[in-house]
Amino acid sequence: MSKKLCAVFGGSRGIGRSVARLLAERGRGAAVVSPGLECAQATSPPLTAADHGALSCDVSDELRVRRTFERLRQRSGGIRYLVNAAGVDRCAHARCGWGLRGGRPRTWWTSYTPNLLGTVLTCRAALRSMLRKPGGAIVNVGSVVGLKGNAGQGIYSATKAALEGFACSLAKEVAARNIRVNLVAPGFIRTDMTTALGEEHPKVAIPLGGFGEPSQVAHAVLFLLQTPYVTGQVLVVDDGMQLVM
């Protein structure tokens, strides 16, 4: 991976930021992509050695996604690796109403668009570059609630559950070109999303003790990016949480 570019969507905060920093620490080329350029640039200093910097992109806009990858191609000749770490859950909050009965369709759409549609659009655009030469890998970030569900997070869980089927299907589709596609399913990780939920979120028992850190998920992402002979898999990083869900 050392001389091959990895685009990290959602790379300005949370898990994506930790992935970008870990890649930079290991001497891998990385480009941070986030909805706001100002936010992305806050992460770019540790990445300047690779000279790929930060880009702004709304993943729900197909044209902007395509233009982002064109800019990456112009800067570096194209990407070989992709991480999709962007994601939101605006339904599990008191002001949106708890659970499915309290939510509104326009609120549900704000989770569906970046979590699922955005991932599909970035993968599609990335493959235009990746398919030119064999090899490379895609890692999408799902969630343990996409595997087990969680009260009050029905819409968010549905978007993350869809990513498992998408990853497995895409892995079969591009296997002939030696491109691997996998999914990481984190548990409760200490990010802005989980902090915002606070006491409004139901307590869950986590066998190994509590919330995880974004850096712990980042190491799982790096493992899947650089490990051959692993594709179409879901790697759960949840401190054993799914054992008691």
Side-chain angles (χ1 to χ4, degrees), residues 88 108 111-113 115-116 154-164:
V88 297
W108 304 341
S111 291
Y112 162 78
T113 301
N115 295 355
L116 179 56
I155 303 302
Y156 177 77
S157 298
T159 65
K160 293 298 188 177
L163 290 179
E164 180 180 3

Side-chain angles (χ1 to χ4, degrees), residues 3-245:
K3 297 182 179 179
K4 297 176 182 179
L5 180 63
C6 178
V8 183
F9 280 75
S12 64
R13 60 197 302 179
I15 292 171
R17 179 171 182 164
S18 288
V19 170
R21 289 187 180 278
L22 182 60
L23 288 169
E25 290 170 3
R26 300 292 177 88
R28 273 77 171 182
V32 172
V33 187
S34 74
L37 182 56
E38 182 178 347
C39 189
Q41 287 174 334
T43 310
S44 62
L47 307 180
T48 52
D51 196 29
H52 300 301
L55 295 170
S56 173
C57 179
D58 177 359
V59 295
S60 65
D61 186 325
E62 183 179 7
L63 180 58
R64 292 187 64 181
V65 170
R66 291 177 62 180
R67 286 176 175 172
T68 297
F69 279 96
E70 177 60 22
R71 290 177 65 187
L72 289 171
R73 187 193 66 78
Q74 293 172 355
R75 288 186 181 189
S76 63
I79 73 161
R80 303 299 293 150
Y81 299 90
L82 171 67
V83 175
N84 279 304
V88 297
D89 181 11
R90 296 198 173 103
C91 296
H93 194 284
R95 69 171 178 266
C96 299
W98 183 256
L100 186 63
R101 291 173 296 173
R104 297 180 179 181
R106 66 171 178 266
T107 302
W108 304 341
W109 192 255
T110 61
S111 291
Y112 162 78
T113 301
N115 295 355
L116 179 56
L117 178 61
T119 298
V120 172
L121 291 178
T122 56
C123 286
R124 182 185 183 189
L127 287 172
R128 294 176 183 271
S129 172
M130 297 174 69
L131 287 171
R132 293 173 184 170
K133 295 181 181 180
I138 296 172
V139 178
N140 297 327
V141 178
S143 173
V144 68
V145 301
L147 308 179
K148 295 291 186 178
N150 196 40
Q153 288 187 290
I155 303 302
Y156 177 77
S157 298
T159 65
K160 293 298 188 177
L163 290 179
E164 180 180 3
F166 176 67
C168 292
S169 298
L170 188 58
K172 294 179 180 180
E173 187 174 324
V174 298
R177 297 295 290 170
N178 197 31
I179 297 172
R180 297 175 294 102
V181 184
N182 291 288
L183 184 75
V184 168
F188 279 92
I189 306 299
R190 204 179 306 278
T191 64
D192 291 345
M193 183 188 300
T194 55
T195 300
L197 294 177
E199 297 302 319
E200 298 162 4
H201 204 279
K203 300 294 184 181
V204 295
I206 303 178
L208 292 182
F211 279 49
E213 299 297 332
S215 60
Q216 295 168 317
V217 183
H219 280 87
V221 172
L222 181 60
F223 167 79
L224 291 174
L225 285 175
Q226 64 186 12
T227 304
Y229 214 63
V230 178
T231 193
Q233 300 301 307
V234 179
L235 178 56
V236 179
V237 185
D238 70 346
D239 239 15
M241 176 181 159
Q242 68 166 340
L243 298 175
V244 296
M245 291 182 75

